[in-house]
Amino acid sequence: MLELAILGFLYDTPLHGYELRKRIAALTGHVKPVAESTLYPAIKRLEKAGLLARTTEPGSVAAPRHVLTLTEDGHRELRRRLAEPDPRDISDENRWFTVLAFLRHLEDAEAQSAVLRRRLAFLEEPASFFYDGDRPLRAEELDDPFRRGLLTIARATSQAELTWLRETIASLDG
């Protein structure tokens, strides 16, 4: 998820590491804050793989600043990751939001629709946070008001996403 966010933000424009960190935190920070000890090793991995380039420019006050730019290989890699998301990128809501934030960079409407169809199929499977044996429990079946609330909120969120997915897929296919 972190590497995808790095590639996605740099696809738009070159950024300083600090600015990149702020943008990633705005996208995912409420769920998983981005620590420098996580971000900078990921940047180094992507740089070593030839997906990013680093240039140095003078700092406005003190030390020089490093500007990160996506290479052509980085552009291709982002599009590949968007076209072929890992199953966890489809099933995990936070990872899905990262895919969704950059899916516009996958310029082929058919390929975008295929990714959305995978998420739609995942959401259409019966599921719950709570089960009676193998049977998913519905909010109405729970006495615990907090668990009932969790399922009620999750259902409303899923319904909104299902509606959006169906409309967007129809638009892309239309």
Side-chain angles (χ1 to χ4, degrees):
M1 181 173 81
L2 178 59
E3 288 184 1
L4 183 64
I6 292 168
L7 294 172
F9 281 119
L10 292 177
Y11 193 99
D12 291 326
T13 188
L15 294 168
H16 300 283
Y18 176 74
E19 182 62 31
L20 178 61
R21 184 172 173 225
K22 282 186 357 186
R23 291 182 188 203
I24 293 170
L27 178 64
T28 64
H30 66 284
V31 175
K32 185 178 180 183
V34 180
E36 287 183 26
S37 62
T38 306
L39 177 63
Y40 291 103
I43 288 171
K44 286 187 185 299
R45 280 192 307 275
L46 293 170
E47 190 176 12
K48 186 175 180 181
L51 304 178
L52 310 178
R54 179 189 312 244
T55 57
T56 304
E57 64 181 39
S60 57
V61 177
R65 295 170 49 160
H66 299 283
V67 178
L68 302 167
T69 306
L70 216 55
T71 64
E72 281 305 311
D73 285 346
H75 282 86
R76 280 190 290 279
E77 179 63 13
L78 174 66
R79 290 190 299 266
R80 184 198 66 75
R81 289 182 188 203
L82 291 171
E84 304 166 10
D86 182 277
R88 292 173 300 162
D89 295 338
I90 298 296
S91 62
D92 180 273
E93 184 176 82
N94 300 312
R95 292 173 70 114
W96 169 246
F97 284 165
T98 303
V99 170
L100 202 53
F102 303 109
L103 196 56
R104 67 187 174 91
H105 296 311
L106 191 57
E107 295 170 2
D108 178 40
E110 188 175 318
Q112 291 170 333
S113 181
V115 174
L116 296 182
R117 286 179 192 284
R118 286 183 58 196
R119 177 67 175 182
L120 179 64
F122 167 75
L123 289 178
E124 288 177 332
E125 287 293 317
S128 179
F129 296 111
F130 310 107
Y131 289 81
D132 180 11
D134 290 338
R135 186 179 66 81
L137 292 173
R138 299 175 46 130
E140 298 77 16
E141 298 176 281
L142 297 172
D143 293 329
D144 180 333
F146 307 107
R147 286 187 170 192
R148 191 171 52 246
L150 175 63
L151 291 181
T152 300
I153 293 165
R155 180 188 307 150
T157 302
S158 290
Q159 288 304 319
E161 187 176 355
L162 285 165
T163 299
W164 177 83
L165 283 166
R166 290 178 183 125
E167 290 171 356
T168 304
I169 290 167
S171 172
L172 290 169
D173 293 349

